Amino acid sequence: PRPIHGAAPRAMVPTLPVRPNFVLFLTDDQDLLLGGWTPMRQAQVQVAEAGASASHWFVHTPVCCPSRVQLLTGRYFHNLRVDPAHGGCMHADPARVHPVSLAAALGAAGYTVGWFGKHMNACPALPPAGFGCATCWWFANGGGEDVEPGGYLNASFHDRSAWAEVPSANGTYVASTGGEFGGYTTAILGNKSVAWLRALGRRPRPGPGGEELPPFWLTVAPKAPHAPFTPAPWYDTAGGGSPAWVQAGRAPRGPPFNASAQALADFHPLIAEQAAISTQCAAQIDETYRARLRTLLSVDDAVGAVARELDAQHLWPSTFFILTSDHGYNLGQHRLPFGKHNVYEHDVRVPFVIRGPGILPGSRLAVPATHVDLAPTLLGLAGAAPLPLGTILDGRSVAAHLLHPSAHADPAVPLATRRHLLSLNPHATHRHQFTPNPVATHRH
């Protein structure tokens, strides 16, 4: 059996709170255009079909830390940079990120915050701003190693929580294949997240007229499908656990795949000078493609477990659930066998699905948006302000495009969210101009 615990039954149905909860799943290197969404069967049903999918959601900088800090702050990378001679995280300055992050702003607004998985690649051992509340939990690392052990198996995490209701090591958590959840990181993150939600669900409820419980923001940030692409033992080919469609999978062979030298002649030198992909290299690309799918099967299990827990606690009416990735990936496009780093569409267009109060099932976010728009959107839905107070973020809230047109007057939508919708000027939702297809997949 897959070691993602099911949900315990709940009997109490809470009243709709003033402020919503948030669940964010943030994967690592999960593409949209090369089959990366295919394994997400539970996510498709529980989130995409029950909510909205974005047609044009992009990242600005397709490499781990720069993309993540933009998502965390709502600010463009040039506002977060530091001279690498002075340290930083892939040219990102943690001092410009942590004090003004989404977690810091939501924490200041009274949210209880839990982070499980990869944060910035330069991950702080002690919880940064926003994680200081009595019920917060910081279970994070910088993504672990790109080899085993230490990648998907037997990884280490900074584990900090002052709350006696959760099984925190209050130091360093070291996974073990002989320990809980098979030592597999995605299963560990899924189960720790569910344990935290259950602990929050056991908090004493206020009496009539009492102050409502603090809302929560949960982030689950698996390593998958980043290298070294290690599947869970129960999905490994040796155990026969992968579905037949994964076993038969083959990386897409669209026009950019192993493009001709003539087709790439006017591309920049990194691309134009790439050698053709050999038969042996193509076979390795196909195996990488299948391995990535296997790792995402466990992410989908974690999504399903968290979704069932929300259902058991009757939290769906007050919870926004988002899934996205820090950037996409290459699988032979433009003769690049692996990796990311280039602003081609398969690198910068990522999955983005969201379910929540006021979002119509099966709807679609048609306007172009990017990761810098996520922080202002979530802060707006929460009725919270960015830090420092009065700051205007680079991104813009897309809430008016996500929720149905009458959501501002819908009593089934949390009051803070309705107030935000009323405050938006629909003609000024985006300050900047975006292009639906900024970089053609087969051109430069």
Side-chain angles (χ1 to χ4, degrees):
R2 304 164 192 160
I4 297 283
H5 294 330
R10 303 285 190 274
M12 183 179 296
V13 179
T15 57
L16 187 69
V18 172
R19 297 176 294 172
N21 307 304
F22 299 103
V23 174
L24 169 65
F25 268 75
L26 177 60
T27 55
D28 195 348
D29 290 7
Q30 184 180 13
D31 66 90
L32 177 64
L33 300 181
L34 304 178
W37 187 252
T38 309
M40 310 300 290
R41 307 293 175 88
Q42 297 178 71
Q44 177 66 23
V45 173
Q46 292 284 356
V47 185
E49 294 177 8
S53 302
S55 301
H56 309 291
W57 195 279
F58 297 98
V59 306
H60 292 272
T61 315
V63 62
C64 297
C65 208
S67 182
R68 287 168 179 263
V69 299
Q70 290 172 92
L71 179 147
L72 288 170
T73 63
R75 291 166 168 86
Y76 292 132
F77 189 47
H78 61 259
N79 291 323
L80 304 168
R81 285 178 60 90
V82 65
D83 186 329
H86 300 120
C89 179
M90 299 181 182
H91 302 272
D93 185 355
R96 297 185 182 185
V97 176
H98 298 313
V100 300
S101 72
L102 184 54
L106 289 176
Y111 273 70
T112 181
V113 183
W115 188 286
F116 300 85
K118 181 176 179 178
H119 192 253
M120 294 170 59
N121 296 63
C123 180
L126 296 177
F131 293 89
C133 74
T135 54
C136 291
W137 196 354
W138 174 250
F139 190 89
N141 67 9
E145 303 295 330
D146 289 347
V147 295
E148 301 295 359
Y152 289 81
L153 297 168
N154 301 341
S156 299
F157 295 87
H158 305 300
D159 182 5
R160 297 281 179 176
S161 179
W163 197 16
E165 293 296 313
V166 297
S168 173
N170 274 311
T172 301
Y173 176 98
V174 181
S176 170
T177 50
E180 61 180 359
F181 318 123
Y184 190 70
T185 61
T186 311
I188 292 167
L189 300 178
N191 280 285
K192 297 288 185 185
S193 301
V194 169
W196 187 63
L197 288 176
R198 288 182 180 172
L200 292 177
R202 293 192 296 267
R203 292 175 297 177
R205 301 284 173 178
E211 185 176 350
E212 69 179 29
L213 290 172
F216 63 80
W217 177 39
L218 163 65
T219 298
V220 186
K223 185 178 182 69
H226 194 285
F229 322 117
T230 308
W234 46 95
Y235 284 133
D236 197 351
T237 52
S242 295
W245 57 267
V246 173
Q247 300 291 76
R250 186 169 179 258
R253 297 300 203 267
F257 184 90
N258 201 18
S260 69
Q262 181 180 4
L264 301 177
D266 61 345
F267 282 60
H268 66 79
L270 175 66
I271 303 300
E273 296 173 5
Q274 286 287 320
I277 292 173
S278 66
T279 301
Q280 182 181 7
C281 182
Q284 182 58 50
I285 290 172
D286 288 336
E287 181 50 42
T288 297
Y289 172 77
R290 290 187 288 269
R292 284 165 54 84
L293 298 185
R294 294 183 193 109
T295 68
L296 287 167
L297 292 172
S298 293
V299 176
D300 197 43
D301 287 339
V303 170
V306 171
R308 289 191 296 274
E309 185 62 27
L310 295 177
D311 189 54
Q313 294 194 40
H314 308 287
L315 290 172
W316 277 118
S318 58
T319 301
F320 288 97
F321 195 126
I322 303 111
L323 289 95
T324 190
S325 174
D326 56 3
H327 44 70
Y329 205 66
N330 301 311
L331 287 167
Q333 290 69 37
H334 310 102
R335 297 186 174 184
L336 296 171
F338 313 107
K340 49 266 185 179
H341 306 108
N342 292 279
V343 287
Y344 297 111
E345 198 161 358
H346 49 273
D347 289 331
V348 297
R349 188 190 290 263
V350 294
F352 184 92
V353 297
I354 179 170
R355 172 183 175 180
I359 299 177
L360 298 178
S363 58
R364 187 160 290 276
L365 175 65
V367 300
T370 77
H371 273 1
V372 297
D373 297 318
L374 184 60
T377 299
L378 298 193
L379 290 174
L381 294 172
L387 297 177
L389 295 178
T391 298
I392 297 177
L393 301 180
D394 293 322
R396 288 292 175 269
S397 173
V398 296
H401 299 285
L402 285 169
L403 280 70
H404 67 79
S406 301
H408 64 279
D410 187 346
V413 174
L415 179 60
T417 302
R418 282 183 273 151
R419 287 173 173 166
H420 174 59
L421 293 172
L422 286 171
S423 73
L424 291 175
N425 176 353
H427 301 294
T429 306
H430 286 282
R431 170 190 292 173
H432 306 284
Q433 295 294 318
F434 294 95
T435 306
N437 295 289
V439 185
T441 309
H442 55 87
R443 297 299 298 156
H444 59 285

